[in-house]
Amino acid sequence: MELEFETCDVFTTTRFGGNPLALVFGADGLETEALQAIAREFNLSETVFILPPEREPADVRLRIFTPGLELPFAGHPNVGAAVMIARRIGHEGDVLVLEQPAGHVTAWLTRAPGGQPVAAEIEAPRPLTIGATLDRAAIADCAALPVSAIHVNAHPPLLAGCGVPFAIAEVEDVEQLSAATPDILAMRKCFGPLPSPPVGLLLHTPLGVGRRRARMFAPLNGVVEDPATGGANVGLAGLLLHLAGGSALALEVEQGAEIGRPSQLILAARRDPDGTIRVRVGGGVVPVSRGVISI
């Protein structure tokens, strides 16, 4: 059996920047174990399988895998899939609806002057959820940092997300952020006993008004460091709006520079009339390669 695949770089306008993504087509009849094996073979932060939709009004259905597990939602697979599918099928509209376990995700396309889709913005399928506060010293150990590097002025380390949970912690400055190193044993000790363990640990630090720099470690799920994490940063943007109050918040996040994959994520959080916080994330997508997998 042969399956077509394409790869692209997400949250960038430059090839070999951003977060690489593999899209696999024609895997409708394969069991979950086979999809997970293919994702391990690609060994990227995520591999997304493009499948026929099952529920209206979706245009396609996505199944998203890290090398270690399936995710109900993730940011860069949705942004990348929206652009790459639109290019592949010659989609002429500006909106695609992507079905996945966390719910339907709407993607708004941006096109180059010639008409080709080059970027997308998606809204996380679920509102912000804030979970348990985490021990400051334990989080410092997870990142191999001194306890003093973990700030609690804005917020203590905690769980938050818009569809999937992440541990989120603010660090003192860019120097401490760059010095962080994931400690898998400390993460197993910190996150393993939790009822709903986070996908990974997002560290962030301010760069100025409306700008942050971030790193995300998920070695327990097969991703030592992610170049750009939409799913974690929508949680961060929602959390910052929750803390600041008000009705809306705009945020730019830099990620991936420490591992040679500079990425830029553009986020917008809003507070709906019922008080729930919803978040969008967008960025550029650059096609890279295509080929065939034999299984």
Side-chain angles (χ1 to χ4, degrees):
M1 182 179 181
E2 293 188 337
L3 304 175
E4 291 185 59
F5 74 86
E6 298 180 359
T7 69
C8 61
D9 294 328
V10 183
F11 295 125
T12 182
T13 57
T14 304
R15 186 172 284 110
F16 311 134
N19 197 349
L21 174 71
L23 302 92
V24 180
F25 303 89
D28 314 26
L30 296 183
E31 299 293 332
T32 297
E33 292 77 9
L35 303 183
Q36 185 68 76
I38 293 169
R40 280 197 299 270
E41 180 67 20
F42 276 107
N43 200 35
L44 300 175
S45 297
E46 281 109 2
T47 295
V48 59
F49 296 88
I50 312 302
L51 306 168
E54 293 181 342
R55 294 176 292 148
E56 294 184 350
D59 294 291
V60 297
R61 179 165 59 97
L62 308 184
R63 292 188 69 181
I64 303 166
F65 289 79
T66 76
L69 84 164
E70 182 174 8
L71 296 175
F73 162 75
H76 108 277
N78 275 277
V79 171
V83 170
M84 296 298 285
I85 291 167
R87 294 173 70 104
R88 182 181 175 94
I89 68 175
H91 182 69
E92 295 183 355
D94 293 327
V95 175
L96 280 171
V97 179
L98 311 171
E99 177 187 340
Q100 52 217 270
H104 284 55
V105 172
T106 300
W108 294 267
L109 299 168
T110 298
R111 298 179 183 273
Q116 281 280 35
V118 293
E121 180 186 52
I122 60 111
E123 182 164 298
R126 297 178 184 172
L128 173 71
T129 299
I130 298 175
T133 298
L134 302 170
D135 182 75
R136 181 185 184 190
I139 291 298
D141 288 344
C142 290
L145 291 173
V147 176
S148 60
I150 305 299
H151 269 203
V152 295
N153 299 340
H155 67 87
L158 48 71
L159 299 177
C162 298
V164 289
F166 285 85
I168 300 178
E170 185 177 47
V171 299
E172 183 177 9
D173 51 35
V174 170
E175 288 71 27
Q176 292 285 10
L177 184 69
S178 297
T181 302
D183 186 319
I184 192 167
L185 295 179
M187 288 187 178
R188 188 172 290 124
K189 181 179 179 181
C190 182
F191 302 145
L194 297 176
S196 297
V199 172
L201 170 62
L202 180 78
L203 302 177
H204 66 95
T205 194
L207 295 177
V209 177
R211 296 176 59 236
R212 296 258 160 177
R213 188 160 173 175
R215 299 178 72 186
M216 201 288 288
F217 306 121
L220 298 182
N221 290 315
V223 180
V224 176
E225 181 168 359
D226 197 27
T229 318
N233 282 295
V234 293
L236 172 61
L239 174 63
L240 294 176
L241 177 58
H242 168 78
L243 295 169
S247 60
L249 178 142
L251 180 67
E252 293 184 20
V253 174
E254 298 177 5
Q255 191 178 337
E258 290 81 1
I259 55 174
R261 308 277 321 197
S263 308
Q264 184 180 44
L265 300 89
I266 308 299
L267 299 116
R270 73 175 189 274
R271 193 185 307 270
D272 286 345
D274 63 1
T276 61
I277 292 175
R278 296 188 178 273
V279 187
R280 295 185 179 189
V281 61
V285 178
V286 181
V288 175
S289 69
R290 61 178 60 193
V292 173
I293 306 167
S294 298
I295 62 171

PDB file of all heavy atoms in Angstrom, residues 17-18 174 177-178 213-215 225-228 254-264:
ATOM      1  N   GLY A  17      12.405  27.210   8.091  1.00  0.00           N
ATOM      2  CA  GLY A  17      12.128  27.847   9.367  1.00  0.00           C
ATOM      3  C   GLY A  17      10.836  27.277   9.923  1.00  0.00           C
ATOM      4  O   GLY A  17      10.268  26.317   9.391  1.00  0.00           O
ATOM      5  N   GLY A  18      10.336  27.849  10.996  1.00  0.00           N
ATOM      6  CA  GLY A  18       9.060  27.414  11.545  1.00  0.00           C
ATOM      7  C   GLY A  18       9.057  25.979  12.022  1.00  0.00           C
ATOM      8  O   GLY A  18      10.092  25.390  12.332  1.00  0.00           O
ATOM      9  N   VAL A 174      15.084  36.583  28.766  1.00  0.00           N
ATOM     10  CA  VAL A 174      15.469  35.786  27.602  1.00  0.00           C
ATOM     11  C   VAL A 174      16.682  34.915  27.901  1.00  0.00           C
ATOM     12  O   VAL A 174      16.787  33.781  27.416  1.00  0.00           O
ATOM     13  CB  VAL A 174      15.733  36.712  26.392  1.00  0.00           C
ATOM     14  CG1 VAL A 174      16.364  35.937  25.236  1.00  0.00           C
ATOM     15  CG2 VAL A 174      14.446  37.370  25.934  1.00  0.00           C
ATOM     16  N   LEU A 177      15.481  31.922  29.686  1.00  0.00           N
ATOM     17  CA  LEU A 177      14.721  31.115  28.741  1.00  0.00           C
ATOM     18  C   LEU A 177      15.666  30.315  27.847  1.00  0.00           C
ATOM     19  O   LEU A 177      15.458  29.116  27.612  1.00  0.00           O
ATOM     20  CB  LEU A 177      13.818  32.015  27.890  1.00  0.00           C
ATOM     21  CG  LEU A 177      12.886  31.298  26.915  1.00  0.00           C
ATOM     22  CD1 LEU A 177      11.794  30.537  27.660  1.00  0.00           C
ATOM     23  CD2 LEU A 177      12.252  32.294  25.944  1.00  0.00           C
ATOM     24  N   SER A 178      16.720  30.959  27.350  1.00  0.00           N
ATOM     25  CA  SER A 178      17.669  30.284  26.476  1.00  0.00           C
ATOM     26  C   SER A 178      18.453  29.203  27.215  1.00  0.00           C
ATOM     27  O   SER A 178      18.894  28.225  26.604  1.00  0.00           O
ATOM     28  CB  SER A 178      18.642  31.301  25.867  1.00  0.00           C
ATOM     29  OG  SER A 178      17.949  32.224  25.050  1.00  0.00           O
ATOM     30  N   ARG A 213       8.450  35.770  24.040  1.00  0.00           N
ATOM     31  CA  ARG A 213       9.290  34.707  23.480  1.00  0.00           C
ATOM     32  C   ARG A 213       9.004  33.453  24.277  1.00  0.00           C
ATOM     33  O   ARG A 213       8.823  33.515  25.504  1.00  0.00           O
ATOM     34  CB  ARG A 213      10.764  35.067  23.556  1.00  0.00           C
ATOM     35  CG  ARG A 213      11.674  34.085  22.821  1.00  0.00           C
ATOM     36  CD  ARG A 213      12.997  34.743  22.520  1.00  0.00           C
ATOM     37  NE  ARG A 213      13.959  33.814  21.971  1.00  0.00           N
ATOM     38  CZ  ARG A 213      15.163  34.161  21.542  1.00  0.00           C
ATOM     39  NH1 ARG A 213      15.541  35.438  21.606  1.00  0.00           N
ATOM     40  NH2 ARG A 213      15.999  33.279  21.050  1.00  0.00           N
ATOM     41  N   ALA A 214       8.969  32.307  23.607  1.00  0.00           N
ATOM     42  CA  ALA A 214       8.557  31.076  24.274  1.00  0.00           C
ATOM     43  C   ALA A 214       9.396  29.892  23.814  1.00  0.00           C
ATOM     44  O   ALA A 214      10.003  29.905  22.737  1.00  0.00           O
ATOM     45  CB  ALA A 214       7.075  30.801  24.007  1.00  0.00           C
ATOM     46  N   ARG A 215       9.402  28.866  24.653  1.00  0.00           N
ATOM     47  CA  ARG A 215       9.944  27.545  24.307  1.00  0.00           C
ATOM     48  C   ARG A 215       8.984  26.501  24.859  1.00  0.00           C
ATOM     49  O   ARG A 215       8.359  26.713  25.905  1.00  0.00           O
ATOM     50  CB  ARG A 215      11.343  27.338  24.882  1.00  0.00           C
ATOM     51  CG  ARG A 215      12.363  28.329  24.372  1.00  0.00           C
ATOM     52  CD  ARG A 215      13.729  28.111  25.011  1.00  0.00           C
ATOM     53  NE  ARG A 215      14.365  26.900  24.495  1.00  0.00           N
ATOM     54  CZ  ARG A 215      15.524  26.410  24.962  1.00  0.00           C
ATOM     55  NH1 ARG A 215      16.139  27.029  25.972  1.00  0.00           N
ATOM     56  NH2 ARG A 215      16.044  25.324  24.444  1.00  0.00           N
ATOM     57  N   GLU A 225      11.947  19.346  21.983  1.00  0.00           N
ATOM     58  CA  GLU A 225      11.591  20.762  21.934  1.00  0.00           C
ATOM     59  C   GLU A 225      10.852  21.042  20.641  1.00  0.00           C
ATOM     60  O   GLU A 225      11.284  20.627  19.564  1.00  0.00           O
ATOM     61  CB  GLU A 225      12.809  21.673  22.048  1.00  0.00           C
ATOM     62  CG  GLU A 225      12.435  23.145  22.014  1.00  0.00           C
ATOM     63  CD  GLU A 225      13.548  24.098  22.417  1.00  0.00           C
ATOM     64  OE1 GLU A 225      14.639  23.622  22.760  1.00  0.00           O
ATOM     65  OE2 GLU A 225      13.312  25.329  22.390  1.00  0.00           O
ATOM     66  N   ASP A 226       9.746  21.766  20.745  1.00  0.00           N
ATOM     67  CA  ASP A 226       8.903  22.088  19.599  1.00  0.00           C
ATOM     68  C   ASP A 226       9.295  23.458  19.054  1.00  0.00           C
ATOM     69  O   ASP A 226       9.426  24.408  19.832  1.00  0.00           O
ATOM     70  CB  ASP A 226       7.442  22.090  20.051  1.00  0.00           C
ATOM     71  CG  ASP A 226       6.464  22.010  18.897  1.00  0.00           C
ATOM     72  OD1 ASP A 226       6.837  21.459  17.843  1.00  0.00           O
ATOM     73  OD2 ASP A 226       5.329  22.481  19.053  1.00  0.00           O
ATOM     74  N   PRO A 227       9.451  23.601  17.735  1.00  0.00           N
ATOM     75  CA  PRO A 227       9.823  24.910  17.194  1.00  0.00           C
ATOM     76  C   PRO A 227       8.725  25.962  17.287  1.00  0.00           C
ATOM     77  O   PRO A 227       9.027  27.157  17.338  1.00  0.00           O
ATOM     78  CB  PRO A 227      10.144  24.605  15.722  1.00  0.00           C
ATOM     79  CG  PRO A 227      10.385  23.133  15.660  1.00  0.00           C
ATOM     80  CD  PRO A 227       9.505  22.540  16.712  1.00  0.00           C
ATOM     81  N   ALA A 228       7.457  25.535  17.258  1.00  0.00           N
ATOM     82  CA  ALA A 228       6.340  26.494  17.320  1.00  0.00           C
ATOM     83  C   ALA A 228       5.103  25.725  17.747  1.00  0.00           C
ATOM     84  O   ALA A 228       4.748  24.729  17.114  1.00  0.00           O
ATOM     85  CB  ALA A 228       6.104  27.157  15.970  1.00  0.00           C
ATOM     86  N   GLU A 254       7.445  34.772  19.597  1.00  0.00           N
ATOM     87  CA  GLU A 254       8.599  34.201  18.912  1.00  0.00           C
ATOM     88  C   GLU A 254       8.941  32.869  19.570  1.00  0.00           C
ATOM     89  O   GLU A 254       8.929  32.755  20.796  1.00  0.00           O
ATOM     90  CB  GLU A 254       9.809  35.135  19.016  1.00  0.00           C
ATOM     91  CG  GLU A 254       9.632  36.490  18.385  1.00  0.00           C
ATOM     92  CD  GLU A 254      10.835  37.380  18.603  1.00  0.00           C
ATOM     93  OE1 GLU A 254      11.846  36.902  19.168  1.00  0.00           O
ATOM     94  OE2 GLU A 254      10.772  38.562  18.230  1.00  0.00           O
ATOM     95  N   GLN A 255       9.259  31.881  18.760  1.00  0.00           N
ATOM     96  CA  GLN A 255       9.612  30.568  19.305  1.00  0.00           C
ATOM     97  C   GLN A 255      10.557  29.891  18.321  1.00  0.00           C
ATOM     98  O   GLN A 255      10.545  30.191  17.121  1.00  0.00           O
ATOM     99  CB  GLN A 255       8.347  29.719  19.515  1.00  0.00           C
ATOM    100  CG  GLN A 255       8.565  28.442  20.310  1.00  0.00           C
ATOM    101  CD  GLN A 255       7.277  27.666  20.526  1.00  0.00           C
ATOM    102  OE1 GLN A 255       6.187  28.221  20.474  1.00  0.00           O
ATOM    103  NE2 GLN A 255       7.388  26.378  20.782  1.00  0.00           N
ATOM    104  N   GLY A 256      11.375  28.984  18.814  1.00  0.00           N
ATOM    105  CA  GLY A 256      12.176  28.132  17.939  1.00  0.00           C
ATOM    106  C   GLY A 256      13.572  28.619  17.632  1.00  0.00           C
ATOM    107  O   GLY A 256      14.357  27.879  17.030  1.00  0.00           O
ATOM    108  N   ALA A 257      13.934  29.836  18.021  1.00  0.00           N
ATOM    109  CA  ALA A 257      15.254  30.366  17.666  1.00  0.00           C
ATOM    110  C   ALA A 257      16.378  29.532  18.255  1.00  0.00           C
ATOM    111  O   ALA A 257      17.429  29.346  17.625  1.00  0.00           O
ATOM    112  CB  ALA A 257      15.382  31.819  18.129  1.00  0.00           C
ATOM    113  N   GLU A 258      16.159  29.004  19.464  1.00  0.00           N
ATOM    114  CA  GLU A 258      17.222  28.243  20.136  1.00  0.00           C
ATOM    115  C   GLU A 258      17.568  26.943  19.419  1.00  0.00           C
ATOM    116  O   GLU A 258      18.649  26.388  19.622  1.00  0.00           O
ATOM    117  CB  GLU A 258      16.816  27.940  21.582  1.00  0.00           C
ATOM    118  CG  GLU A 258      16.797  29.147  22.507  1.00  0.00           C
ATOM    119  CD  GLU A 258      15.540  29.983  22.391  1.00  0.00           C
ATOM    120  OE1 GLU A 258      14.634  29.625  21.602  1.00  0.00           O
ATOM    121  OE2 GLU A 258      15.447  31.001  23.098  1.00  0.00           O
ATOM    122  N   ILE A 259      16.665  26.446  18.582  1.00  0.00           N
ATOM    123  CA  ILE A 259      16.939  25.200  17.865  1.00  0.00           C
ATOM    124  C   ILE A 259      17.019  25.428  16.357  1.00  0.00           C
ATOM    125  O   ILE A 259      16.880  24.490  15.563  1.00  0.00           O
ATOM    126  CB  ILE A 259      15.903  24.106  18.205  1.00  0.00           C
ATOM    127  CG1 ILE A 259      14.473  24.593  17.953  1.00  0.00           C
ATOM    128  CG2 ILE A 259      16.073  23.646  19.641  1.00  0.00           C
ATOM    129  CD1 ILE A 259      13.424  23.505  18.141  1.00  0.00           C
ATOM    130  N   GLY A 260      17.257  26.673  15.957  1.00  0.00           N
ATOM    131  CA  GLY A 260      17.474  26.984  14.560  1.00  0.00           C
ATOM    132  C   GLY A 260      16.244  26.948  13.688  1.00  0.00           C
ATOM    133  O   GLY A 260      16.349  26.834  12.463  1.00  0.00           O
ATOM    134  N   ARG A 261      15.034  27.078  14.291  1.00  0.00           N
ATOM    135  CA  ARG A 261      13.787  27.085  13.529  1.00  0.00           C
ATOM    136  C   ARG A 261      12.962  28.293  13.956  1.00  0.00           C
ATOM    137  O   ARG A 261      11.903  28.162  14.569  1.00  0.00           O
ATOM    138  CB  ARG A 261      12.981  25.807  13.784  1.00  0.00           C
ATOM    139  CG  ARG A 261      13.694  24.501  13.596  1.00  0.00           C
ATOM    140  CD  ARG A 261      13.776  23.997  12.198  1.00  0.00           C
ATOM    141  NE  ARG A 261      12.627  24.173  11.372  1.00  0.00           N
ATOM    142  CZ  ARG A 261      12.450  23.479  10.232  1.00  0.00           C
ATOM    143  NH1 ARG A 261      13.324  22.567   9.855  1.00  0.00           N
ATOM    144  NH2 ARG A 261      11.414  23.715   9.460  1.00  0.00           N
ATOM    145  N   PRO A 262      13.421  29.506  13.666  1.00  0.00           N
ATOM    146  CA  PRO A 262      12.680  30.692  14.127  1.00  0.00           C
ATOM    147  C   PRO A 262      11.258  30.704  13.587  1.00  0.00           C
ATOM    148  O   PRO A 262      11.014  30.452  12.404  1.00  0.00           O
ATOM    149  CB  PRO A 262      13.507  31.858  13.578  1.00  0.00           C
ATOM    150  CG  PRO A 262      14.328  31.274  12.473  1.00  0.00           C
ATOM    151  CD  PRO A 262      14.598  29.858  12.860  1.00  0.00           C
ATOM    152  N   SER A 263      10.325  30.993  14.492  1.00  0.00           N
ATOM    153  CA  SER A 263       8.898  30.948  14.186  1.00  0.00           C
ATOM    154  C   SER A 263       8.221  32.183  14.751  1.00  0.00           C
ATOM    155  O   SER A 263       8.676  32.759  15.742  1.00  0.00           O
ATOM    156  CB  SER A 263       8.257  29.697  14.801  1.00  0.00           C
ATOM    157  OG  SER A 263       8.962  28.523  14.448  1.00  0.00           O
ATOM    158  N   GLN A 264       7.112  32.563  14.099  1.00  0.00           N
ATOM    159  CA  GLN A 264       6.312  33.689  14.599  1.00  0.00           C
ATOM    160  C   GLN A 264       4.850  33.297  14.599  1.00  0.00           C
ATOM    161  O   GLN A 264       4.294  32.895  13.569  1.00  0.00           O
ATOM    162  CB  GLN A 264       6.512  34.932  13.741  1.00  0.00           C
ATOM    163  CG  GLN A 264       5.765  36.147  14.282  1.00  0.00           C
ATOM    164  CD  GLN A 264       5.967  37.388  13.436  1.00  0.00           C
ATOM    165  OE1 GLN A 264       5.905  37.313  12.217  1.00  0.00           O
ATOM    166  NE2 GLN A 264       6.229  38.515  14.074  1.00  0.00           N
TER     167      GLN A 264
END
